[in-house]
Amino acid sequence: MATIKFYNSKEQVPLEMHKVRVVQKLYLLPVEERQKRMEEAGNNTFLLQNKDVYLDMLTDSGVNAMSDQQVASQLIADDSYAGSESCNRLMKAIDEVFGTKYFLPAHQGRAAENILAEALVKPGMVTMMNFHFTTTKAHITRLGGEVIELVTEKGLEPQNDEPFKGNFDLKRLREEIETYGKDKVAFVRIEAGTNLIGGQPISMENMLEVAKICKEYGIVSVLDASLLQDNVYFIKTRDPKYKDVDAREIYRQLGDACDIVYWSARKLGFSRGGAIVTNNEELYLKMKGLVPLYEGFLTYGGMEVRSMESFAVGLLESLDMEYINQGPIFIEYLVNELDKAGVPVIKPAGGLGAHLNAGEILPHIPHGQYPAGALGAALYIAGGIRGMERGTLSEQRNPDGSERYAELELLRLAVPRRVFTLSQIKYCIDRVKWLYDNRELVGGLDFYDEPEVLRFFFGRLRPIGDWQEKLVKKFRADFGDSL
């Protein structure tokens, strides 16, 4: 990976290693219209219409820009229901990257999680992981399982110098296995990197040690590789032992070490679809029959063939460090500039995007009034920017109906790869800074329509008080006739 420095060091900024060839027009509504759209969406950024969003920083899942080679590959797609050459090309790419013998397709990552949970989780079992993801936990708990989180204490600190905040507490992992007994452990899931605590990476050493412990106890090790390309970047740039190790070798070592690897191609591969891969025939056969039942035939698994072609190309491109680095370097710039402006953010910068520490930005809003959700609503009003709540709103209620308060109240500003220009990133920084300077105006939210499952996707909330009207009024006072 090349290091490119500017002659004028004061102008050092991320440098795109691509050029834009297709564009999409964006719209920025007036602030009064943004408030109305937020009200219509029930103060849930998931329910906003994309036409009303200027910078869509909700997620990097399925919204990354494909390469010209990915787009071109779709023209040779084989539409056969069974025995498709598109599937064969995808299997070849997966073998080249992970070196795995068996492949099961799925239409996306959470569909792969469903297959894994159905095959391995029984009532009363536990699943151990460095940290949970929303849909992963939902699939496990609906089958009567329990999730145990084993991330190190540093992983839950908003800011420190720990380069791999997603690491497992290995001592606790052994203790929990001993406590429950191996027969009660459905599997151990390694998330590389940890989505809900700031996209923080896990070290190569830690991942390999977790896999080793699982083999020692006869427990299935599962790697969620959805964010692996960012994690590979951090391994190569933060661990001197891996600086000169080829990315291909890192992928292969993990494919060899873990019993199962699965991921969303909406993230790893910059396409659509999902995959479960393994070298273990017994595990493959245990999951194989579930794919036609839930997804589709074994040569497409719910994916349409054009996506399979672009998936194959994108997966191979994820071996290229100039391809891998575009997300992390832009995210690091965004995080560092916000930090310089005094805005509380999760540090060090991780993958996925910048994570605003809503708990620290809005300390006057209690957990039960969803500070991260309120910050997300406020930021859309302030700048037409759509982020994603990653706090208490994203949690499930406890069985008795009480809230499970999140360890961190975060608003994630995802940075889809090769999508935004630097001026748009700077606009985001400006509007976040303005909102931070006016944070005392922001109030809480409460539900008026709360689904029982995955409420953060389609629940609706109302502002507590008239804080949104006050925010609009202050915006007009500061910005005049500007949008």
Side-chain angles (χ1 to χ4, degrees):
M1 180 176 64
T3 299
I4 302 169
K5 295 182 179 179
F6 282 65
Y7 177 63
N8 183 349
S9 61
K10 293 181 180 179
E11 298 299 323
Q12 188 70 45
V13 294
L15 186 65
E16 296 90 341
M17 297 304 291
H18 59 267
K19 62 181 180 181
V20 177
R21 301 178 68 183
V22 178
V23 297
Q24 177 183 358
K25 188 173 182 179
L26 296 174
Y27 299 92
L28 181 57
L29 299 175
V31 65
E32 294 82 6
E33 289 297 314
R34 297 199 294 268
Q35 184 197 352
K36 289 179 184 177
R37 298 299 186 274
M38 196 74 262
E39 181 182 358
E40 291 166 0
N43 287 279
N44 183 343
T45 56
F46 275 99
L47 300 181
L48 287 166
Q49 299 300 305
N50 188 55
K51 64 182 177 61
D52 299 327
V53 174
Y54 176 60
L55 291 186
D56 193 355
M57 307 181 86
L58 185 76
T59 183
D60 65 342
S61 179
V63 293
N64 300 294
M66 289 197 295
S67 71
D68 54 356
Q69 296 300 307
Q70 285 183 284
V71 174
S73 73
Q74 296 180 331
L75 296 175
I76 61 169
D78 178 357
D79 282 318
S80 302
Y81 182 90
S84 165
E85 279 302 304
S86 293
C87 181
N88 291 337
R89 283 188 280 269
L90 176 55
M91 290 175 68
K92 183 179 179 182
I94 289 171
D95 178 56
E96 186 171 337
V97 174
F98 286 106
T100 45
K101 184 177 181 181
Y102 301 107
F103 161 64
L104 293 170
H107 77 272
Q108 64 181 89
R110 70 194 50 162
E113 290 173 342
N114 176 52
I115 301 295
L116 286 165
E118 288 283 350
L120 301 175
V121 177
K122 300 292 185 291
M125 298 183 83
V126 298
T127 301
M128 299 174 185
M129 53 190 73
N130 42 352
F131 209 77
H132 79 278
F133 183 61
T134 50
T135 55
T136 321
K137 184 174 182 178
H139 281 302
I140 291 164
T141 56
R142 74 177 176 81
L143 293 170
E146 180 187 351
V147 170
I148 297 176
E149 295 168 348
L150 300 172
V151 72
T152 62
E153 290 183 4
K154 285 189 174 182
L156 299 177
E157 294 175 3
Q159 295 194 352
N160 57 41
D161 296 326
E162 174 59 45
F164 295 104
K165 290 168 71 174
N167 278 358
F168 272 80
D169 183 329
L170 298 174
K171 181 174 180 289
R172 279 194 63 209
L173 175 60
R174 286 187 178 275
E175 290 172 350
E176 295 290 355
I177 292 173
E178 292 286 350
T179 298
Y180 284 94
K182 71 169 190 174
D183 293 337
K184 282 282 189 179
V185 182
F187 57 87
V188 174
R189 172 179 170 269
I190 304 165
E191 187 178 42
T194 45
N195 192 313
L196 296 184
I197 56 172
Q200 294 298 314
I202 177 171
S203 73
M204 190 70 172
E205 180 182 12
N206 193 260
M207 285 190 279
L208 295 177
E209 187 61 28
V210 171
K212 182 179 176 183
I213 291 171
C214 287
K215 282 186 169 55
E216 179 184 328
Y217 283 96
I219 294 170
V220 176
S221 60
V222 175
L223 171 65
D224 179 348
S226 299
L227 302 175
L228 185 58
Q229 69 175 31
D230 285 353
N231 210 106
V232 168
Y233 170 85
F234 293 122
I235 288 170
K236 284 184 62 61
T237 56
R238 295 181 183 179
D239 187 342
K241 296 191 297 293
Y242 284 89
K243 178 182 178 182
D244 298 320
V245 177
D246 189 70
R248 184 185 303 265
E249 177 60 23
I250 296 173
Y251 281 93
R252 183 60 64 93
Q253 284 185 31
L254 292 171
D256 290 342
C258 297
D259 294 311
I260 295 172
V261 181
Y262 81 93
W263 69 96
S264 168
R266 298 172 71 90
K267 293 181 180 291
L268 180 61
F270 290 6
S271 182
R272 298 287 191 278
I276 304 171
V277 300
T278 182
N279 282 316
N280 186 309
E281 184 177 19
E282 181 182 351
L283 290 172
Y284 168 74
L285 293 174
K286 187 177 286 191
M287 296 182 286
K288 179 180 177 181
L290 296 170
V291 173
L293 181 63
Y294 289 111
E295 296 297 299
F297 192 63
L298 290 170
T299 56
Y300 74 97
M303 285 185 274
E304 53 92 23
V305 289
R306 277 159 288 281
S307 290
M308 295 178 80
E309 294 286 358
S310 58
F311 181 178
V313 174
L315 189 58
L316 292 173
E317 288 178 341
S318 72
L319 300 173
D320 181 351
M321 283 299 289
E322 298 299 353
Y323 171 99
I324 292 173
N325 71 8
Q326 291 297 285
I329 62 175
F330 269 75
I331 292 166
E332 184 178 31
Y333 177 81
L334 175 55
V335 167
N336 289 345
E337 291 300 307
L338 288 171
D339 186 53
K340 287 180 197 174
V343 179
V345 288
I346 298 299
K347 290 187 69 180
L352 276 171
H355 292 73
L356 306 184
N357 187 349
E360 190 173 337
I361 294 171
L362 304 174
H364 57 283
I365 300 179
H367 279 289
Q369 293 181 14
Y370 313 114
L375 187 62
L379 184 57
Y380 173 74
I381 294 170
I385 301 164
R386 171 159 66 171
M388 185 188 292
E389 194 273 358
R390 300 278 73 167
T392 296
L393 192 61
S394 293
E395 294 290 344
Q396 298 175 203
R397 285 188 181 270
N398 295 316
D400 64 0
S402 61
E403 285 282 11
R404 181 200 182 282
Y405 295 137
E407 287 84 356
L408 295 170
E409 292 283 352
L410 306 180
L411 178 67
R412 186 181 80 196
L413 302 180
V415 181
R417 308 307 187 255
R418 304 175 299 204
V419 170
F420 297 134
T421 64
L422 190 61
S423 65
Q424 289 169 326
I425 296 293
K426 289 185 173 183
Y427 168 83
C428 175
I429 294 164
D430 180 83
R431 290 302 187 259
V432 171
K433 172 60 175 170
W434 177 83
L435 186 58
Y436 179 66
D437 289 345
N438 291 278
R439 58 194 179 277
E440 75 284 350
L441 295 176
V442 181
L445 302 171
D446 65 4
F447 272 106
Y448 65 85
D449 181 6
E450 181 178 358
E452 288 186 17
V453 179
L454 297 177
R455 61 185 184 174
F456 69 93
F457 275 140
F458 36 82
R460 292 177 178 271
L461 305 97
R462 62 173 64 87
I464 298 172
D466 62 350
W467 63 265
Q468 294 185 349
E469 287 78 6
K470 292 177 180 176
L471 194 68
V472 170
K473 185 177 180 180
K474 185 65 165 63
F475 182 95
R476 277 287 170 236
D478 288 351
F479 290 99
D481 61 358
S482 169
L483 297 176

